[in-house]
PDB file of all heavy atoms in Angstrom:
ATOM      1  N   ARG A 241     -10.580  20.063 -19.698  1.00  0.00           N
ATOM      2  CA  ARG A 241     -10.545  18.740 -19.098  1.00  0.00           C
ATOM      3  C   ARG A 241      -9.983  17.739 -20.106  1.00  0.00           C
ATOM      4  O   ARG A 241     -10.283  17.813 -21.302  1.00  0.00           O
ATOM      5  CB  ARG A 241     -11.936  18.282 -18.640  1.00  0.00           C
ATOM      6  CG  ARG A 241     -12.560  19.130 -17.549  1.00  0.00           C
ATOM      7  CD  ARG A 241     -13.918  18.566 -17.125  1.00  0.00           C
ATOM      8  NE  ARG A 241     -13.764  17.274 -16.477  1.00  0.00           N
ATOM      9  CZ  ARG A 241     -14.533  16.205 -16.711  1.00  0.00           C
ATOM     10  NH1 ARG A 241     -15.493  16.264 -17.621  1.00  0.00           N
ATOM     11  NH2 ARG A 241     -14.335  15.086 -16.061  1.00  0.00           N
ATOM     12  N   VAL A 242      -9.184  16.803 -19.609  1.00  0.00           N
ATOM     13  CA  VAL A 242      -8.639  15.751 -20.469  1.00  0.00           C
ATOM     14  C   VAL A 242      -8.768  14.401 -19.766  1.00  0.00           C
ATOM     15  O   VAL A 242      -8.804  14.320 -18.534  1.00  0.00           O
ATOM     16  CB  VAL A 242      -7.157  15.997 -20.835  1.00  0.00           C
ATOM     17  CG1 VAL A 242      -7.006  17.251 -21.684  1.00  0.00           C
ATOM     18  CG2 VAL A 242      -6.282  16.063 -19.593  1.00  0.00           C
ATOM     19  N   GLU A 243      -8.833  13.374 -20.589  1.00  0.00           N
ATOM     20  CA  GLU A 243      -8.779  11.994 -20.087  1.00  0.00           C
ATOM     21  C   GLU A 243      -7.443  11.404 -20.509  1.00  0.00           C
ATOM     22  O   GLU A 243      -7.061  11.469 -21.687  1.00  0.00           O
ATOM     23  CB  GLU A 243      -9.910  11.160 -20.678  1.00  0.00           C
ATOM     24  CG  GLU A 243      -9.875   9.694 -20.247  1.00  0.00           C
ATOM     25  CD  GLU A 243     -10.859   8.844 -21.028  1.00  0.00           C
ATOM     26  OE1 GLU A 243     -12.023   8.770 -20.612  1.00  0.00           O
ATOM     27  OE2 GLU A 243     -10.445   8.276 -22.063  1.00  0.00           O
ATOM     28  N   VAL A 244      -6.732  10.815 -19.560  1.00  0.00           N
ATOM     29  CA  VAL A 244      -5.393  10.280 -19.806  1.00  0.00           C
ATOM     30  C   VAL A 244      -5.388   8.784 -19.509  1.00  0.00           C
ATOM     31  O   VAL A 244      -5.955   8.345 -18.506  1.00  0.00           O
ATOM     32  CB  VAL A 244      -4.352  10.997 -18.913  1.00  0.00           C
ATOM     33  CG1 VAL A 244      -2.974  10.375 -19.096  1.00  0.00           C
ATOM     34  CG2 VAL A 244      -4.320  12.485 -19.232  1.00  0.00           C
ATOM     35  N   ARG A 245      -4.751   8.015 -20.387  1.00  0.00           N
ATOM     36  CA  ARG A 245      -4.577   6.581 -20.144  1.00  0.00           C
ATOM     37  C   ARG A 245      -3.093   6.265 -20.049  1.00  0.00           C
ATOM     38  O   ARG A 245      -2.323   6.570 -20.969  1.00  0.00           O
ATOM     39  CB  ARG A 245      -5.214   5.757 -21.261  1.00  0.00           C
ATOM     40  CG  ARG A 245      -6.733   5.744 -21.219  1.00  0.00           C
ATOM     41  CD  ARG A 245      -7.301   4.760 -22.221  1.00  0.00           C
ATOM     42  NE  ARG A 245      -8.747   4.624 -22.081  1.00  0.00           N
ATOM     43  CZ  ARG A 245      -9.488   3.754 -22.757  1.00  0.00           C
ATOM     44  NH1 ARG A 245      -8.908   2.949 -23.651  1.00  0.00           N
ATOM     45  NH2 ARG A 245     -10.787   3.687 -22.569  1.00  0.00           N
ATOM     46  N   ALA A 246      -2.707   5.630 -18.940  1.00  0.00           N
ATOM     47  CA  ALA A 246      -1.305   5.291 -18.697  1.00  0.00           C
ATOM     48  C   ALA A 246      -1.168   3.776 -18.577  1.00  0.00           C
ATOM     49  O   ALA A 246      -1.858   3.151 -17.762  1.00  0.00           O
ATOM     50  CB  ALA A 246      -0.813   5.971 -17.426  1.00  0.00           C
ATOM     51  N   PRO A 247      -0.295   3.156 -19.364  1.00  0.00           N
ATOM     52  CA  PRO A 247      -0.288   1.693 -19.464  1.00  0.00           C
ATOM     53  C   PRO A 247       0.517   0.986 -18.377  1.00  0.00           C
ATOM     54  O   PRO A 247       1.413   1.555 -17.748  1.00  0.00           O
ATOM     55  CB  PRO A 247       0.382   1.464 -20.826  1.00  0.00           C
ATOM     56  CG  PRO A 247       1.359   2.594 -20.928  1.00  0.00           C
ATOM     57  CD  PRO A 247       0.644   3.772 -20.303  1.00  0.00           C
ATOM     58  N   ALA A 248       0.196  -0.293 -18.204  1.00  0.00           N
ATOM     59  CA  ALA A 248       1.032  -1.187 -17.412  1.00  0.00           C
ATOM     60  C   ALA A 248       2.367  -1.367 -18.122  1.00  0.00           C
ATOM     61  O   ALA A 248       2.467  -1.228 -19.349  1.00  0.00           O
ATOM     62  CB  ALA A 248       0.347  -2.542 -17.248  1.00  0.00           C
ATOM     63  N   THR A 249       3.379  -1.680 -17.339  1.00  0.00           N
ATOM     64  CA  THR A 249       4.706  -1.920 -17.905  1.00  0.00           C
ATOM     65  C   THR A 249       5.361  -3.115 -17.222  1.00  0.00           C
ATOM     66  O   THR A 249       5.033  -3.453 -16.081  1.00  0.00           O
ATOM     67  CB  THR A 249       5.627  -0.695 -17.731  1.00  0.00           C
ATOM     68  OG1 THR A 249       5.634  -0.293 -16.350  1.00  0.00           O
ATOM     69  CG2 THR A 249       5.154   0.467 -18.589  1.00  0.00           C
ATOM     70  N   ILE A 250       6.281  -3.728 -17.929  1.00  0.00           N
ATOM     71  CA  ILE A 250       7.117  -4.775 -17.351  1.00  0.00           C
ATOM     72  C   ILE A 250       8.553  -4.291 -17.387  1.00  0.00           C
ATOM     73  O   ILE A 250       9.029  -3.812 -18.426  1.00  0.00           O
ATOM     74  CB  ILE A 250       6.966  -6.118 -18.099  1.00  0.00           C
ATOM     75  CG1 ILE A 250       7.959  -7.159 -17.542  1.00  0.00           C
ATOM     76  CG2 ILE A 250       7.137  -5.957 -19.600  1.00  0.00           C
ATOM     77  CD1 ILE A 250       7.819  -8.544 -18.157  1.00  0.00           C
ATOM     78  N   ALA A 251       9.234  -4.383 -16.257  1.00  0.00           N
ATOM     79  CA  ALA A 251      10.653  -4.044 -16.199  1.00  0.00           C
ATOM     80  C   ALA A 251      11.483  -5.325 -16.185  1.00  0.00           C
ATOM     81  O   ALA A 251      11.009  -6.390 -15.791  1.00  0.00           O
ATOM     82  CB  ALA A 251      10.950  -3.212 -14.950  1.00  0.00           C
ATOM     83  N   ASN A 252      12.712  -5.200 -16.639  1.00  0.00           N
ATOM     84  CA  ASN A 252      13.736  -6.253 -16.622  1.00  0.00           C
ATOM     85  C   ASN A 252      13.628  -7.225 -17.802  1.00  0.00           C
ATOM     86  O   ASN A 252      14.617  -7.530 -18.435  1.00  0.00           O
ATOM     87  CB  ASN A 252      13.739  -7.062 -15.322  1.00  0.00           C
ATOM     88  CG  ASN A 252      13.916  -6.202 -14.093  1.00  0.00           C
ATOM     89  OD1 ASN A 252      14.369  -5.061 -14.177  1.00  0.00           O
ATOM     90  ND2 ASN A 252      13.559  -6.738 -12.931  1.00  0.00           N
ATOM     91  N   LEU A 253      12.428  -7.772 -18.078  1.00  0.00           N
ATOM     92  CA  LEU A 253      12.256  -8.773 -19.129  1.00  0.00           C
ATOM     93  C   LEU A 253      13.268  -9.915 -19.010  1.00  0.00           C
ATOM     94  O   LEU A 253      13.872 -10.358 -19.981  1.00  0.00           O
ATOM     95  CB  LEU A 253      12.323  -8.133 -20.529  1.00  0.00           C
ATOM     96  CG  LEU A 253      11.077  -7.321 -20.900  1.00  0.00           C
ATOM     97  CD1 LEU A 253      11.271  -5.853 -20.547  1.00  0.00           C
ATOM     98  CD2 LEU A 253      10.750  -7.442 -22.381  1.00  0.00           C
ATOM     99  N   GLY A 254      13.497 -10.338 -17.802  1.00  0.00           N
ATOM    100  CA  GLY A 254      14.388 -11.462 -17.546  1.00  0.00           C
ATOM    101  C   GLY A 254      15.839 -11.072 -17.533  1.00  0.00           C
ATOM    102  O   GLY A 254      16.476 -11.019 -16.473  1.00  0.00           O
ATOM    103  N   ILE A 255      16.389 -10.761 -18.674  1.00  0.00           N
ATOM    104  CA  ILE A 255      17.828 -10.555 -18.801  1.00  0.00           C
ATOM    105  C   ILE A 255      18.266  -9.109 -18.559  1.00  0.00           C
ATOM    106  O   ILE A 255      19.445  -8.848 -18.357  1.00  0.00           O
ATOM    107  CB  ILE A 255      18.307 -11.013 -20.208  1.00  0.00           C
ATOM    108  CG1 ILE A 255      19.838 -11.091 -20.299  1.00  0.00           C
ATOM    109  CG2 ILE A 255      17.740 -10.102 -21.296  1.00  0.00           C
ATOM    110  CD1 ILE A 255      20.470 -12.037 -19.320  1.00  0.00           C
ATOM    111  N   GLY A 256      17.331  -8.149 -18.524  1.00  0.00           N
ATOM    112  CA  GLY A 256      17.726  -6.736 -18.517  1.00  0.00           C
ATOM    113  C   GLY A 256      17.414  -6.022 -17.221  1.00  0.00           C
ATOM    114  O   GLY A 256      16.680  -5.025 -17.223  1.00  0.00           O
ATOM    115  N   PHE A 257      17.957  -6.481 -16.105  1.00  0.00           N
ATOM    116  CA  PHE A 257      17.663  -5.898 -14.799  1.00  0.00           C
ATOM    117  C   PHE A 257      17.968  -4.402 -14.780  1.00  0.00           C
ATOM    118  O   PHE A 257      19.093  -3.974 -15.022  1.00  0.00           O
ATOM    119  CB  PHE A 257      18.482  -6.601 -13.714  1.00  0.00           C
ATOM    120  CG  PHE A 257      18.284  -6.041 -12.332  1.00  0.00           C
ATOM    121  CD1 PHE A 257      17.061  -6.164 -11.699  1.00  0.00           C
ATOM    122  CD2 PHE A 257      19.315  -5.386 -11.687  1.00  0.00           C
ATOM    123  CE1 PHE A 257      16.872  -5.649 -10.417  1.00  0.00           C
ATOM    124  CE2 PHE A 257      19.138  -4.869 -10.414  1.00  0.00           C
ATOM    125  CZ  PHE A 257      17.911  -4.993  -9.777  1.00  0.00           C
ATOM    126  N   ASP A 258      16.924  -3.618 -14.511  1.00  0.00           N
ATOM    127  CA  ASP A 258      17.007  -2.155 -14.387  1.00  0.00           C
ATOM    128  C   ASP A 258      17.379  -1.433 -15.683  1.00  0.00           C
ATOM    129  O   ASP A 258      17.592  -0.222 -15.671  1.00  0.00           O
ATOM    130  CB  ASP A 258      17.986  -1.737 -13.282  1.00  0.00           C
ATOM    131  CG  ASP A 258      17.352  -1.752 -11.899  1.00  0.00           C
ATOM    132  OD1 ASP A 258      16.179  -2.144 -11.777  1.00  0.00           O
ATOM    133  OD2 ASP A 258      18.039  -1.374 -10.932  1.00  0.00           O
ATOM    134  N   VAL A 259      17.466  -2.155 -16.815  1.00  0.00           N
ATOM    135  CA  VAL A 259      17.821  -1.471 -18.064  1.00  0.00           C
ATOM    136  C   VAL A 259      16.812  -1.708 -19.193  1.00  0.00           C
ATOM    137  O   VAL A 259      16.942  -1.099 -20.252  1.00  0.00           O
ATOM    138  CB  VAL A 259      19.242  -1.859 -18.562  1.00  0.00           C
ATOM    139  CG1 VAL A 259      20.291  -1.479 -17.536  1.00  0.00           C
ATOM    140  CG2 VAL A 259      19.332  -3.337 -18.913  1.00  0.00           C
ATOM    141  N   LEU A 260      15.821  -2.584 -18.977  1.00  0.00           N
ATOM    142  CA  LEU A 260      14.806  -2.828 -19.999  1.00  0.00           C
ATOM    143  C   LEU A 260      13.419  -2.604 -19.418  1.00  0.00           C
ATOM    144  O   LEU A 260      13.149  -2.958 -18.263  1.00  0.00           O
ATOM    145  CB  LEU A 260      14.887  -4.267 -20.536  1.00  0.00           C
ATOM    146  CG  LEU A 260      16.097  -4.644 -21.379  1.00  0.00           C
ATOM    147  CD1 LEU A 260      16.041  -6.139 -21.713  1.00  0.00           C
ATOM    148  CD2 LEU A 260      16.179  -3.821 -22.661  1.00  0.00           C
ATOM    149  N   GLY A 261      12.538  -2.021 -20.218  1.00  0.00           N
ATOM    150  CA  GLY A 261      11.150  -1.847 -19.824  1.00  0.00           C
ATOM    151  C   GLY A 261      10.256  -1.828 -21.049  1.00  0.00           C
ATOM    152  O   GLY A 261      10.646  -1.315 -22.107  1.00  0.00           O
ATOM    153  N   MET A 262       9.049  -2.380 -20.916  1.00  0.00           N
ATOM    154  CA  MET A 262       8.113  -2.456 -22.037  1.00  0.00           C
ATOM    155  C   MET A 262       6.714  -2.084 -21.561  1.00  0.00           C
ATOM    156  O   MET A 262       6.292  -2.459 -20.466  1.00  0.00           O
ATOM    157  CB  MET A 262       8.087  -3.872 -22.618  1.00  0.00           C
ATOM    158  CG  MET A 262       7.077  -4.081 -23.747  1.00  0.00           C
ATOM    159  SD  MET A 262       6.925  -5.829 -24.210  1.00  0.00           S
ATOM    160  CE  MET A 262       8.462  -6.051 -25.103  1.00  0.00           C
ATOM    161  N   ALA A 263       5.982  -1.364 -22.407  1.00  0.00           N
ATOM    162  CA  ALA A 263       4.594  -1.017 -22.119  1.00  0.00           C
ATOM    163  C   ALA A 263       3.652  -2.047 -22.725  1.00  0.00           C
ATOM    164  O   ALA A 263       3.925  -2.613 -23.787  1.00  0.00           O
ATOM    165  CB  ALA A 263       4.274   0.363 -22.682  1.00  0.00           C
ATOM    166  N   PHE A 264       2.526  -2.288 -22.032  1.00  0.00           N
ATOM    167  CA  PHE A 264       1.491  -3.196 -22.518  1.00  0.00           C
ATOM    168  C   PHE A 264       0.235  -2.413 -22.891  1.00  0.00           C
ATOM    169  O   PHE A 264      -0.049  -1.359 -22.320  1.00  0.00           O
ATOM    170  CB  PHE A 264       1.120  -4.224 -21.445  1.00  0.00           C
ATOM    171  CG  PHE A 264       2.158  -5.285 -21.198  1.00  0.00           C
ATOM    172  CD1 PHE A 264       2.558  -5.592 -19.909  1.00  0.00           C
ATOM    173  CD2 PHE A 264       2.707  -5.994 -22.247  1.00  0.00           C
ATOM    174  CE1 PHE A 264       3.499  -6.573 -19.673  1.00  0.00           C
ATOM    175  CE2 PHE A 264       3.652  -6.982 -22.031  1.00  0.00           C
ATOM    176  CZ  PHE A 264       4.050  -7.284 -20.730  1.00  0.00           C
ATOM    177  N   GLU A 265      -0.544  -2.970 -23.817  1.00  0.00           N
ATOM    178  CA  GLU A 265      -1.821  -2.348 -24.183  1.00  0.00           C
ATOM    179  C   GLU A 265      -2.838  -2.418 -23.045  1.00  0.00           C
ATOM    180  O   GLU A 265      -3.627  -1.501 -22.838  1.00  0.00           O
ATOM    181  CB  GLU A 265      -2.396  -3.027 -25.432  1.00  0.00           C
ATOM    182  CG  GLU A 265      -1.623  -2.721 -26.703  1.00  0.00           C
ATOM    183  CD  GLU A 265      -2.265  -3.337 -27.933  1.00  0.00           C
ATOM    184  OE1 GLU A 265      -3.220  -4.137 -27.769  1.00  0.00           O
ATOM    185  OE2 GLU A 265      -1.818  -3.039 -29.050  1.00  0.00           O
TER     186      GLU A 265
END
Protein backbone atom coordinates (compact mmCIF):
# COMPACT_ATOMS: atom_id res chain seq x y z
CA ARG A 1 0.00 0.00 0.00
CA VAL A 2 1.18 3.53 -0.77
CA GLU A 3 -0.04 7.04 -0.10
CA VAL A 4 0.32 9.46 -3.02
CA ARG A 5 0.06 13.25 -3.00
CA ALA A 6 -0.59 15.05 -6.28
CA PRO A 7 -0.37 18.86 -6.32
CA ALA A 8 -2.52 21.63 -7.72
CA THR A 9 -1.13 23.29 -10.82
CA ILE A 10 -1.56 26.53 -12.72
CA ALA A 11 -1.42 26.50 -16.51
CA ASN A 12 -0.60 29.42 -18.83
CA LEU A 13 0.74 31.86 -16.16
CA GLY A 14 -0.69 34.71 -18.19
CA ILE A 15 1.70 34.86 -21.10
CA GLY A 16 2.25 31.13 -21.79
CA PHE A 17 -1.04 29.75 -23.13
CA ASP A 18 -0.79 25.94 -23.33
CA VAL A 19 3.01 26.03 -22.96
CA LEU A 20 3.62 26.90 -19.28
CA GLY A 21 2.58 25.06 -16.14
CA MET A 22 3.60 25.25 -12.47
CA ALA A 23 2.95 23.04 -9.45
CA PHE A 24 1.92 24.44 -6.06
CA GLU A 25 2.67 23.08 -2.59
